[in-house]
Amino acid sequence: MAANTPSQPLVEVKGLSKHFGEGESRVDALRDVTISVEAGEVVGLLGPSGSGKSTLLNAIGSIIQPSEGWMRLDGEVVYDNRWLSRDLRHMRLEKIGFIFQTHNLLPFLDATDNVAVVLHLAGVPRGDAIKRSEALLDYLQVGHRKHAWPSQLSGGEAQRVAIARALANRPRIILADEPTAALDSVRAGIVMDLLRKLAVEQQAAIIAVTHDDKIFDRFDRIFHLRDGRLDDGGDQL
Amino acid sequence: MNLAWRDIRHKLGRFVLTCFGLSLLLSVVVMMAGIYRGQTSDALALLRAIRADIWIVESGTLGPFAEASSIPGDTREMVARINGVVEAGSITMQNVQIERSGRKVRLQVAGYEPGRPGGPIHLVAGREITRSHYELIADRQTGLAVGEMIHLGRNDFTVVGVTSGVVTLSGDSIVYMTLRDAQQLQFDLAPSATRREAARGAQRTQTDFVNAVVARLSPDVPPEEVAEIMRRWKHLSVLTGTEQEVLMTRTVIERASKQIGLFLVMLTIVSAVIISLILYTMTMDKIREIATLKLIGAPDRTIIALIVQQALMMGVIGFVAGTVLVYLFKNNLPRAIVMLPSDIATLFGLVIVICLLASMLGVRAALRVDPGRALVG
Ligand SMILES: Nc1ncnc2c1ncn2[C@@H]1O[C@H](COP(=O)(O)OP(=O)(O)OP(=O)(O)O)[C@@H](O)[C@H]1O
Ligand SMILES: [Mg+2]
């Protein structure tokens, strides 16, 4: 575990910019974004469509390469105008749970194994992996669909399986791109409560994109993105 | 959790079909290799059936199997008089085409003198030729049965016996008849101009010539010594049994094998291309899943293993099924198929190497995939 003192935020981003394309077709998706999230904190990311919310999460999750800036995740500086970490994927496996806007389940694995696969990759024995995966699915109220193929799941069920997968490795950083978009308000509440619980129990930092005003009260702070720019340091709720 | 197997199981029907197609392709490769080997055994079977210690053929030629050879009909008597020769027989060889139940069938007609070397060795049905005309012994492969009649040249022949196990190099089945009948047949089937000249007595007449004389020696006489004596005769070439075998494998088989060898090489290349394409498409179909695996943190080795294991499974299943297929049907094919374990092992190794190389294409593409690909649409 990295040397992370309580005073040091789990996620620290400074002056992060990202543009796609060049010249006429250049899109500035992120402009000079600075944000930091402490362990145990749940923050919301708000903004109109195209404002750069997904881009910011993907950059923090090392899925896309920023154009410039600086990032420290869990005590490790991973980006300083270039990637510093040797094995981004391994870092992702260990530290980051990603809940994607499109849920991206593997079509050839059933619900349980879609969760268990990350544990398998992390070297957890099969029996334990299955047990933990099923427990998570139960908790997210999709336990009854544990043997279903992704193609047989409803949008909300698939999303909850994807959430279970993101949480399976007990990551310290959870990036969630509209985790409750396909859920009714009761289940959205369950997911948010689970994220809250995780943040507190595992001292995790959680950044979640949302449009859902029903769950605003579940966040510690909310950031507003507009045209790739962060409005302020985050509204304290 | 084996991802390669899980993915295959999820699309099992498709995988089975692919393997089946591949097994058909590889069975042709295995079969070609078998035919390549079978040529040698076919040819030697043909020679050994005659069991000659000495072959006497036209001077400068390599015997009745390699090229046309024609020697005077009385050569046999000269040969028989040589000390050490136990028995000698004249033989003829010619290709004819007959029509059987609407299909054209090529036959090799072997003429021999009943009671002398050169005839069929063992009968599986019927009897030896006893009458001097219009009787026939057919190889089982012709499909002819005892009692059947076939029309050859100007005459009808009755099948009196069936033998087995001998085919010519080109895969034709053999029928045996008396030397006289065979010579008559050669004359009947010759171009009419030759026939007219022969009738005028200008050139070889119908009964004067045979293709070769074969002799058996007493066991205590070295064939080489007898051959040495006969080599003093003009217009004749003399080969010992061993020399004939070596010649057969060297010249005739080599020529035929070159073609089959070429086929084999081309088939292997075609298989390699097809396997590469299949594997590449298989990987391309999975690009999104591969991107997802990268997203959730799967290392390269997981992704490489996924592709390579699937390639190997396909190669192994395809090859084993293909080989079994050939093995099951090899006795129903017109040519001898000889499956040497060492050949099978070599081909298997080759298929595995091809699969590994071919999967590298997919692996390269897979490793280049941007994990963000999984998030698009
Ligand atoms: N791969 C890309 N290539 C080019 N432009 C891109 C790419 N990804 C995002 N963009 C652009 O960057 C901007 C920010 O996109 P982003 O996906 O971050 O928006 P968002 O806030 O997540 O929107 P939504 O709420 O619709 O998901 C948009 O203008 C988008 O068109
Ligand atoms: Mg988005």
Side-chain angles (χ1 to χ4, degrees):
Chain A
M1 184 86 348
N4 186 48
T5 58
S7 61
Q8 198 176 47
L10 264 184
V11 178
E12 259 185 297
V13 173
K14 280 182 191 158
L16 200 71
S17 296
K18 172 67 184 176
H19 63 260
F20 294 103
E22 289 297 338
E24 297 239 319
S25 63
R26 176 173 165 132
V27 179
D28 283 289
L30 293 176
R31 302 169 208 247
D32 195 19
V33 171
T34 296
I35 185 174
S36 70
V37 185
E38 308 279 334
E41 223 182 358
V42 182
V43 306
L45 208 52
L46 225 64
S49 181
S51 58
K53 304 180 297 291
S54 297
T55 307
L56 179 57
L57 284 198
N58 291 345
I60 296 172
S62 73
I63 289 163
I64 60 170
Q65 173 155 12
S67 307
E68 59 184 307
W70 182 91
M71 286 197 297
R72 178 159 62 192
L73 302 178
D74 195 12
E76 183 187 348
V77 179
V78 292
Y79 187 84
D80 189 359
N81 289 321
R82 65 187 176 88
W83 292 117
L84 298 178
S85 178
R86 258 173 296 116
D87 192 348
L88 290 174
R89 245 182 277 164
H90 188 69
M91 181 200 72
R92 200 149 61 220
L93 180 66
E94 269 197 334
K95 296 186 176 170
I96 300 175
F98 217 126
I99 304 165
F100 309 108
Q101 196 165 6
T102 52
H103 49 71
N104 292 100
L105 297 177
L106 292 169
F108 53 87
L109 297 180
D110 67 12
T112 309
D113 277 334
N114 255 290
V115 180
V117 69
V118 289
L119 295 167
H120 164 76
L121 290 174
V124 176
R126 174 116 182 107
D128 294 352
I130 295 292
K131 230 180 280 167
R132 208 196 293 178
S133 305
E134 288 182 349
L136 264 168
L137 291 177
D138 279 339
Y139 192 90
L140 288 159
Q141 298 190 346
V142 274
H144 61 293
R145 304 291 283 146
K146 65 184 178 192
H147 294 309
W149 298 104
S151 58
Q152 300 167 331
L153 296 172
S154 75
E157 287 167 345
Q159 195 158 28
R160 279 174 284 158
V161 174
I163 292 168
R165 178 177 70 186
L167 305 181
N169 258 341
R170 302 197 179 107
R172 295 209 67 201
I173 299 166
I174 293 166
L175 307 171
D177 203 344
E178 306 201 32
T180 59
L183 304 180
D184 57 67
S185 55
V186 177
R187 293 200 166 85
I190 291 171
V191 167
M192 286 316 295
D193 286 342
L194 177 67
L195 291 179
R196 272 229 75 84
K197 201 171 127 195
L198 262 163
V200 176
E201 284 176 3
Q202 293 178 30
Q203 283 298 291
I206 296 174
I207 306 175
V209 171
T210 188
H211 288 297
D212 193 348
D213 46 17
K214 292 186 292 293
I215 57 169
F216 282 176
D217 57 340
R218 306 292 223 287
F219 293 107
D220 297 315
R221 283 186 293 155
I222 286 184
F223 292 90
H224 293 270
L225 258 178
R226 201 175 305 279
D227 282 337
R229 223 181 278 281
L230 217 50
D231 271 2
D232 46 49
D235 304 333
Q236 207 76 39
L237 291 181
Chain B
M1 184 182 325
N2 185 300
L3 296 176
W5 168 236
R6 293 304 193 84
D7 181 47
I8 284 175
R9 211 175 55 178
H10 190 244
K11 287 171 279 189
L12 196 59
R14 199 172 127 183
F15 183 75
V16 167
L17 260 179
T18 311
C19 283
F20 178 67
L22 188 62
S23 74
L24 288 183
L25 181 66
L26 292 178
S27 75
V28 179
V29 176
V30 171
M31 202 157 69
M32 271 295 164
I35 289 176
Y36 186 89
R37 290 288 177 209
Q39 286 232 306
T40 319
S41 76
D42 269 357
L44 293 181
L46 187 62
L47 279 185
R48 285 173 188 159
I50 296 171
R51 281 186 307 156
D53 297 317
I54 298 277
W55 292 75
I56 298 99
V57 296
E58 186 177 337
S59 156
T61 69
L62 301 174
F65 303 109
E67 54 191 314
S69 155
S70 185
I71 59 174
D74 55 8
T75 309
R76 186 189 60 75
E77 281 136 52
M78 284 163 59
V79 171
R81 280 199 291 271
I82 303 278
N83 209 354
V85 173
V86 174
E87 45 179 356
S90 300
I91 58 167
T92 61
M93 291 280 169
Q94 67 179 315
N95 280 309
V96 298
Q97 207 169 43
I98 60 159
E99 194 124 350
R100 269 200 90 211
S101 42
R103 281 198 310 147
K104 285 203 160 63
V105 181
R106 266 162 55 95
L107 291 177
Q108 171 101 348
V109 175
Y112 76 107
E113 301 170 275
R116 298 211 166 106
I121 19 171
H122 66 103
L123 299 181
V124 293
R127 57 167 174 84
E128 300 278 351
I129 292 178
T130 50
R131 287 167 47 198
S132 54
H133 283 301
Y134 314 134
E135 287 191 343
L136 201 77
I137 291 179
D139 190 273
R140 180 154 57 187
Q141 209 194 34
T142 56
L144 293 167
V146 174
E148 225 173 299
M149 299 263 281
I150 59 168
H151 191 77
L152 282 172
R154 296 177 177 180
N155 301 300
D156 287 323
F157 288 78
T158 309
V159 179
V160 297
V162 175
T163 178
S164 86
V166 177
V167 290
T168 66
L169 273 180
S170 41
D172 300 333
S173 314
I174 295 186
V175 297
Y176 296 87
M177 60 174 68
T178 63
L179 190 69
R180 292 273 162 263
D181 283 350
Q183 285 172 322
Q184 180 65 44
L185 188 61
Q186 270 183 351
F187 180 75
D188 289 347
L189 297 178
S192 53
T194 321
R195 240 178 8 234
R196 269 199 307 279
E197 287 201 21
R200 272 191 269 122
Q203 264 190 2
R204 304 169 173 178
T205 60
Q206 65 196 71
T207 50
D208 272 342
F209 287 86
V210 298
N211 297 131
V213 169
V214 292
R216 291 191 192 135
L217 307 180
S218 84
D220 48 328
V221 183
E224 209 26 71
E225 265 173 35
V226 179
E228 217 34 64
I229 297 168
M230 296 177 184
R231 279 191 182 119
R232 290 185 211 128
W233 299 335
K234 295 224 166 62
H235 315 301
L236 296 176
S237 278
V238 182
L239 300 165
T240 64
T242 331
E243 282 171 340
Q244 175 69 286
E245 282 193 11
V246 171
L247 250 175
M248 190 80 153
T249 18
R250 279 236 198 92
T251 59
V252 184
I253 299 173
E254 221 164 67
R255 187 178 347 123
S257 294
K258 253 183 208 150
Q259 296 171 0
I260 293 180
L262 187 69
F263 267 131
L264 187 59
V265 170
M266 273 165 52
L267 263 171
T268 311
I269 294 172
V270 168
S271 308
V273 170
I274 291 178
I275 291 175
S276 308
L277 280 175
I278 293 174
L279 290 177
Y280 190 71
T281 343
M282 258 168 81
T283 310
M284 281 318 175
D285 283 350
K286 274 196 289 290
I287 279 301
R288 200 182 156 85
E289 284 89 317
I290 288 167
T292 302
L293 279 169
K294 286 187 172 182
L295 270 185
I296 60 176
D300 282 348
R301 84 186 117 78
T302 303
I303 287 150
I304 295 171
L306 171 69
I307 296 168
V308 171
Q309 284 171 3
Q310 289 190 348
L312 289 181
M313 280 187 224
M314 210 175 70
V316 171
I317 293 173
F319 185 82
V320 171
T323 307
V324 169
L325 221 59
V326 177
Y327 195 80
L328 290 180
F329 290 103
K330 71 174 174 161
N331 293 330
N332 306 346
L333 296 166
R335 310 296 306 268
I337 300 219
V338 175
M339 294 165 85
L340 296 181
S342 59
D343 286 354
I344 301 293
T346 308
L347 281 178
F348 181 71
L350 196 65
V351 168
I352 295 304
V353 170
I354 289 173
C355 282
L356 285 177
L357 289 180
S359 61
M360 287 307 126
L361 265 177
V363 166
R364 217 170 68 120
L367 292 186
R368 281 184 182 171
V369 171
D370 173 23
R373 256 306 265 288
L375 299 176
V376 183

